[in-house]
Amino acid sequence: MKGAEALIKTARDAGIDVLFANPGTTEMPVVNALDAVGGMRAILGLQENVVTGAADGYARMTGVPALTLLHLGPGFANGIANLHNARRARTPIVNLIGEHATWHDTPDSPLASDIESLAHPVSGWVGRSTSAEGMPSDLATAVAESQRGAGCIATLILPHDLQIAEGATPAPLVPPHARAVVSGDAVDRARAAIERGDALIFLGNAGVSEAGLKAAGRIAAATDAALMSQMSNARSERGAGLPALTRLPYFPERALAALAPYRTIVLAGAISPVTFFGWPGYASSLVPEGTAVETLAGPDDDVVGALEALAEALGAGPYAPPPTPEKAAVPSGPLVDEGLSATLAALQPEGAIIINEAVTSGWGYHAQSMAAPRFSELQITGGAIGCGPPLALGAALACPDRPVIALQADGSALYTPQALWSQAREGAHVVTLICSNRRYRILQMEMERAGLNQPGPEAGGLTDLARPPVDWPALARGFGVPAETVDTTEALADALGRGLAGEGPYLIEALLA
Amino acid sequence: MKGAEALIKTARDAGIDVLFANPGTTEMPVVNALDAVGGMRAILGLQENVVTGAADGYARMTGVPALTLLHLGPGFANGIANLHNARRARTPIVNLIGEHATWHDTPDSPLASDIESLAHPVSGWVGRSTSAEGMPSDLATAVAESQRGAGCIATLILPHDLQIAEGATPAPLVPPHARAVVSGDAVDRARAAIERGDALIFLGNAGVSEAGLKAAGRIAAATDAALMSQMSNARSERGAGLPALTRLPYFPERALAALAPYRTIVLAGAISPVTFFGWPGYASSLVPEGTAVETLAGPDDDVVGALEALAEALGAGPYAPPPTPEKAAVPSGPLVDEGLSATLAALQPEGAIIINEAVTSGWGYHAQSMAAPRFSELQITGGAIGCGPPLALGAALACPDRPVIALQADGSALYTPQALWSQAREGAHVVTLICSNRRYRILQMEMERAGLNQPGPEAGGLTDLARPPVDWPALARGFGVPAETVDTTEALADALGRGLAGEGPYLIEALLA
């Protein structure tokens, strides 16, 4: 068996049956092995940031490591930004990168580059196969490494000559590293902090899974502890039947105000809160002066086990779902940010997967969607814009029976519009809701914060997307996705209905007033 | 003066007056400095590979270092692929990357990453400012480093707090490193090789500039030496009045056959020829057995000076332009590759800048365009596809009085279609000619070469772009560029006429039979 075939067979044995890919010549043996081995579905992305972002969305929803296939250093480089997001999301991803043959080691070959140097900043593990026989066990190691902690990125480099060499056999799987069980001491300290009063349980990662939230809800019901989640979550379970959490705000003064009431912040799957940028006048840490921090469980620990142990230690009763608040009415009138997100929150169907990459236009959505029927929400986690369209593709492939709705900033979507083509190709049921404000509004807000209320022509031009306006329906149709533009909340509601009633992808440009 | 202002003023003093950018919060002080200092035009790209590719095209045509502004590690990462091409093209580029404030050094901040590790593989020089006062001289150093040899990439990381700190002043310029003058010994050895007979002068970089070609033409006229260029050239001057060169073919058997007749290969700005990939059965070196290699001038040396010295040493007469071959007729009939490129070659106007990123569909173009009126040709140099649309943007900005025509593979254009938006925004006179074969044909050819004539469904799917077909006119209109589809050579000729008669961008989808 060829090295590439034994590698794909090993991946199949590990339960991996989807490959996100944009291959080139150096990956052709792996591509051919897909047909030789069978049982692995290949999803083509027209650009590698679509490939890696879709892998991220897929693995966030399945929990199974997602496999990518990328072409040498430059092909990998195109996918780094969404791997950066995936790294922050702690998504298990295994990247396969084809490399020149071991003997073709001239630095003058056009595509030669230092792949390891590119891979390290986004990878928890980087390996390079040195024999065809070793390639399958290298893959088994990569799969195990991708499951370290809550999940991480493992990158395996595959020289072309080793992919085609004969003599390899599939390798046994490597058991994944067990998540660190939280010590009784940590539970005791968290219990004491909560019993002292005015504690906040700050949740992230598995803390915002269904099991994590139910354990946290038991604690909140039995004590005066409050619940809040990180600003950005890879996947949060939300809506009716689950505790309603506040979320840490973006700007530092609001974040500090939100955290100010608490005597102790108990970390449960979250990291200690830090600012997004180094804003002048604010420290990097968002922990208010006089507030203590207790780590119940770090992001990579057994967060759910820790929260359940804490609930028991506090004598909490069984989980009781909160009363469902009355559903908000569908708003009406001109389309502004709040109306846009309120319309979505009012109409999203049970079981929806919401992709949220609308930083400014989607600010209201978190609070508005408290009363929505049960849903999953996937956010941008690493600040590298352009994750939304590929995340939506990956989530739809992972959960073909659930509608996916992308609440999507226009400037960010313009990083990866090619994902629409893959959505069309795969018949993915994704409704993309473009928040079309035709500007990089977050930058305009940052300029105002910096005291620049009248930006000059160059600064103004660099945040302006209206010259020319992007014709979103044309762009979407170019990639094979039907689309329309709306400019009132009523029309948005109608369009959402059309998109959700279909089976494939649909795009709605919500032209903001 | 703020650090960012003194930095921009220093760049202006160095003759840099265009900034290719996609900034974020950490780059806002540099953005604001554009207006404070004045005289620097900002060009916005919707994704960073557009930014870096446009910078590449701009500097290839002006020779002046091109300046980019990129957002932290992930924003830089998005632009790596086209920087990889620019590195192979030896284009002088200075990248400015905003970084978190020096005091905001938490690794948990969402956008924190190891920027240096990402930058090194594509940069000849990487620096990081450590004070506002030092920032302008860091920029002056970066500009000088970008001009080392024929040109290279210098990357400067700018912490946010240092950009806004006061107390900086513009720095004096750093004289660029002089190009290595070629020794008399090297000229003597090249002369002896040519006098022995059956020599090939293998040209690259400045060897295919007007001055380099004229010197090479003098030598060829005075001796039996043949002229050939590298397969991929950053910028070659071509057409009527200049020597007609052959070009090294892509596939190894053809390249070896093309080089076989020669006793000596004299390198003049080119590297010793190597294969693109490590094809089984072929060595990396394309130098045939028994053929000697003499280096007259390496890519970073004073190639033109060396060729002129060699011409003198050989007693060559003054340059005499070759007779212009009769212009080929405009072909007719169904649109196939040869007809497409022949139509372009027959109709391209004097002074055109041809961007060639059509590897398979454009194979015939080199020979067909020998009789075209004088033009410049910019090729993909590093194998990282998606350079064409941004290169065209940058070249059009550099030379607003010359029409730019992009001979563009469809699969490659789908990497960076956002460049069309910037073309529309800037009113760039670019006619993009999409070679629409709806497949990654080079991969299908590689599969056939590997003996796989009947690829399975997964391998077939990964090279197929017809499911769904991209609607190029819709896509172009989405980005503000008028467009049409043609499917005969006659219609292509008409469409080219329409595109060239206009002033702004235009896109023609040539639907290949």
Side-chain angles (χ1 to χ4, degrees):
Chain A
M1 197 178 257
K2 291 192 175 78
E5 292 166 355
L7 173 130
I8 291 297
K9 181 71 172 63
T10 303
R12 287 286 298 113
D13 292 346
I16 298 173
D17 56 8
V18 175
L19 174 73
F20 297 89
N22 190 294
T25 298
T26 43
E27 294 75 35
M28 277 297 121
V30 173
V31 169
N32 294 331
L34 299 176
D35 290 303
V37 174
M40 179 88 74
R41 176 183 179 191
I43 307 294
L44 177 60
L46 294 176
Q47 198 265 8
E48 288 82 355
N49 219 27
V50 174
V51 174
T52 54
D56 187 10
Y58 183 83
R60 289 195 201 185
M61 291 311 300
T62 61
V64 177
L67 193 64
T68 73
L69 181 63
L70 305 162
H71 185 43
L72 289 149
F76 176 77
N78 281 327
I80 287 175
N82 273 337
L83 288 173
H84 176 88
N85 287 320
R87 170 182 162 235
R88 293 290 178 196
R90 293 182 150 77
T91 307
I93 293 180
V94 175
N95 298 309
L96 304 177
I97 306 177
E99 166 65 302
H100 286 310
T102 53
W103 51 265
H104 187 60
D105 55 355
T106 164
D108 287 333
S109 181
L111 278 161
S113 70
D114 183 347
I115 301 176
E116 275 87 347
S117 189
L118 295 172
H120 276 297
V122 289
S123 307
W125 180 91
V126 179
R128 176 181 282 255
S129 287
T130 56
S131 71
E133 295 78 6
M135 202 173 267
S137 62
D138 294 339
L139 186 276
T141 301
V143 172
E145 288 294 331
S146 77
Q147 293 167 295
R148 191 183 279 276
C152 76
I153 295 171
T155 299
L156 177 58
I157 301 165
L158 306 170
H160 181 262
D161 54 332
L162 309 183
Q163 297 175 39
I164 56 176
E166 295 284 350
T169 51
L173 302 183
V174 175
H177 309 270
R179 289 214 194 174
V181 174
V182 168
S183 71
D185 269 8
V187 174
D188 286 346
R189 285 196 308 273
R191 180 182 51 74
I194 288 172
E195 286 174 348
R196 269 197 303 274
D198 295 329
L200 174 73
I201 305 181
F202 191 55
L203 298 157
N205 295 287
V208 293
S209 67
E210 176 171 341
L213 288 167
K214 286 183 170 171
R218 292 171 61 200
I219 297 166
T223 67
D224 78 343
L227 306 180
M228 185 187 291
S229 82
Q230 298 188 134
M231 186 189 81
S232 292
N233 297 287
R235 175 183 177 177
S236 2
E237 292 305 308
R238 300 193 52 213
L242 291 176
L245 306 192
T246 54
R247 202 175 263 176
L248 190 69
Y250 174 76
F251 284 117
E253 63 279 8
R254 297 191 204 175
L256 284 168
L259 294 171
Y262 304 107
R263 188 167 164 185
T264 313
I265 297 172
V266 176
L267 302 177
I271 56 171
S272 188
V274 294
T275 58
F276 203 92
F277 290 110
W279 281 288
Y282 294 93
S284 295
S285 171
L286 286 167
V287 178
E289 215 174 303
T291 297
V293 175
E294 282 290 354
T295 301
L296 170 68
D300 292 319
D301 297 334
D302 175 11
V303 183
V304 172
L307 283 166
E308 287 172 347
L310 179 58
E312 293 302 317
L314 287 161
Y319 178 68
T324 301
E326 202 169 321
K327 243 189 126 163
V330 182
S332 64
L335 201 48
V336 291
D337 288 343
E338 297 68 29
L340 189 164
S341 49
T343 303
L344 170 60
L347 294 176
Q348 64 184 74
E350 169 121 30
I353 300 170
I354 304 293
I355 312 294
N356 190 342
E357 194 188 18
V359 175
T360 58
S361 296
W363 262 332
Y365 176 73
H366 180 79
Q368 291 162 337
S369 57
M370 297 284 187
R374 262 301 295 278
F375 67 107
S376 305
E377 183 178 359
L378 278 55
Q379 291 176 275
I380 177 170
T381 48
I385 63 175
C387 63
L391 278 177
L393 167 66
L397 291 167
C399 305
D401 298 331
R402 298 176 63 178
V404 176
I405 308 174
L407 182 62
Q408 181 62 54
D410 55 352
S412 301
L414 287 167
Y415 269 67
T416 46
Q418 301 98 329
L420 296 171
W421 183 82
S422 298
Q423 291 176 10
R425 181 176 169 102
E426 302 299 334
H429 192 195
V430 175
V431 179
T432 300
L433 188 45
I434 298 286
C435 305
S436 183
N437 60 20
R438 297 177 174 169
R439 67 198 72 186
Y440 291 131
R441 190 162 53 182
I442 189 83
L443 295 186
Q444 295 179 344
M445 295 175 75
E446 293 282 6
M447 282 198 281
E448 282 171 32
R449 284 175 66 83
L452 211 83
N453 291 309
Q454 296 286 336
E458 298 300 340
L462 283 171
T463 61
D464 166 36
L465 302 178
R467 192 166 48 88
V470 170
D471 181 340
W472 278 100
L475 189 59
R477 279 194 294 270
F479 286 122
V481 172
E484 62 180 297
T485 297
V486 298
D487 60 3
T488 65
T489 48
E490 291 86 350
L492 171 59
D494 289 348
L496 258 178
R498 279 188 288 277
L500 289 166
E503 296 194 331
Y506 198 75
L507 183 140
I508 302 163
E509 180 192 24
L511 198 54
L512 290 161
Chain B
M1 195 179 257
K2 291 194 175 76
E5 292 166 355
L7 173 130
I8 290 298
K9 181 69 174 63
T10 303
R12 287 287 296 113
D13 291 346
I16 298 173
D17 56 9
V18 175
L19 174 74
F20 297 89
N22 190 294
T25 298
T26 43
E27 293 75 34
M28 277 297 123
V30 174
V31 169
N32 294 331
L34 299 178
D35 290 303
V37 174
M40 179 88 75
R41 177 183 178 191
I43 307 294
L44 176 62
L46 295 175
Q47 197 264 7
E48 288 82 356
N49 219 27
V50 174
V51 174
T52 55
D56 187 9
Y58 183 83
R60 289 196 201 185
M61 291 310 300
T62 60
V64 177
L67 193 64
T68 73
L69 181 63
L70 305 162
H71 185 44
L72 289 151
F76 176 77
N78 281 327
I80 287 175
N82 274 337
L83 288 173
H84 175 88
N85 287 320
R87 170 182 162 235
R88 294 290 179 195
R90 292 182 149 77
T91 308
I93 292 180
V94 174
N95 297 309
L96 305 178
I97 307 177
E99 167 66 301
H100 286 309
T102 53
W103 51 265
H104 187 60
D105 56 354
T106 164
D108 287 333
S109 180
L111 277 162
S113 70
D114 183 346
I115 300 177
E116 275 88 346
S117 189
L118 295 171
H120 276 298
V122 289
S123 307
W125 181 89
V126 179
R128 177 180 282 256
S129 288
T130 56
S131 71
E133 294 79 5
M135 202 173 267
S137 61
D138 294 340
L139 187 276
T141 300
V143 171
E145 289 294 331
S146 77
Q147 293 169 295
R148 191 183 278 277
C152 76
I153 295 171
T155 299
L156 177 59
I157 301 165
L158 305 170
H160 181 263
D161 53 333
L162 309 184
Q163 296 174 42
I164 55 176
E166 296 282 351
T169 51
L173 302 183
V174 175
H177 309 271
R179 289 213 195 173
V181 174
V182 168
S183 71
D185 270 7
V187 174
D188 287 345
R189 285 195 309 272
R191 181 183 51 75
I194 288 172
E195 286 174 348
R196 270 195 304 273
D198 295 330
L200 175 73
I201 305 180
F202 191 55
L203 299 157
N205 295 287
V208 293
S209 67
E210 177 172 338
L213 288 168
K214 286 184 170 170
R218 291 172 62 200
I219 297 166
T223 67
D224 77 342
L227 306 180
M228 186 187 290
S229 82
Q230 298 189 135
M231 186 188 80
S232 293
N233 296 287
R235 174 184 177 178
S236 3
E237 291 305 307
R238 299 194 53 214
L242 290 177
L245 306 191
T246 54
R247 203 175 262 175
L248 189 70
Y250 173 78
F251 284 118
E253 62 279 7
R254 296 189 204 177
L256 285 167
L259 295 171
Y262 303 107
R263 189 167 164 187
T264 314
I265 298 172
V266 176
L267 302 177
I271 56 170
S272 189
V274 295
T275 59
F276 203 92
F277 290 110
W279 281 289
Y282 294 93
S284 295
S285 171
L286 285 168
V287 178
E289 216 174 303
T291 297
V293 175
E294 282 292 353
T295 300
L296 170 67
D300 291 318
D301 297 334
D302 175 11
V303 184
V304 171
L307 282 166
E308 287 172 346
L310 179 57
E312 293 302 318
L314 286 161
Y319 178 69
T324 303
E326 205 171 319
K327 245 189 123 167
V330 182
S332 65
L335 201 48
V336 292
D337 289 342
E338 295 71 27
L340 189 164
S341 48
T343 304
L344 170 59
L347 295 176
Q348 66 185 70
E350 169 121 29
I353 300 171
I354 304 294
I355 311 295
N356 190 341
E357 194 187 18
V359 176
T360 59
S361 297
W363 262 333
Y365 176 73
H366 180 78
Q368 291 162 337
S369 55
M370 296 287 186
R374 265 298 298 278
F375 67 107
S376 305
E377 183 177 359
L378 278 55
Q379 291 177 274
I380 176 170
T381 48
I385 63 176
C387 63
L391 279 178
L393 167 66
L397 292 167
C399 304
D401 298 331
R402 298 177 61 179
V404 176
I405 307 173
L407 182 63
Q408 181 61 53
D410 55 351
S412 301
L414 288 166
Y415 270 67
T416 45
Q418 301 96 330
L420 296 172
W421 183 82
S422 298
Q423 291 177 12
R425 180 177 171 101
E426 302 299 335
H429 192 195
V430 175
V431 179
T432 299
L433 187 46
I434 298 285
C435 305
S436 182
N437 60 20
R438 296 178 175 170
R439 68 198 69 187
Y440 291 129
R441 192 162 52 179
I442 189 81
L443 295 186
Q444 295 179 345
M445 295 175 75
E446 293 282 6
M447 282 200 280
E448 282 171 33
R449 284 176 66 84
L452 212 84
N453 292 307
Q454 297 285 336
E458 297 300 341
L462 283 172
T463 61
D464 166 36
L465 302 178
R467 193 166 49 87
V470 170
D471 182 340
W472 278 100
L475 188 58
R477 279 194 292 272
F479 285 123
V481 172
E484 61 180 299
T485 296
V486 297
D487 61 3
T488 65
T489 47
E490 290 85 351
L492 171 59
D494 289 347
L496 258 177
R498 278 188 288 278
L500 289 167
E503 295 194 332
Y506 198 74
L507 183 140
I508 303 163
E509 179 192 24
L511 199 54
L512 290 162

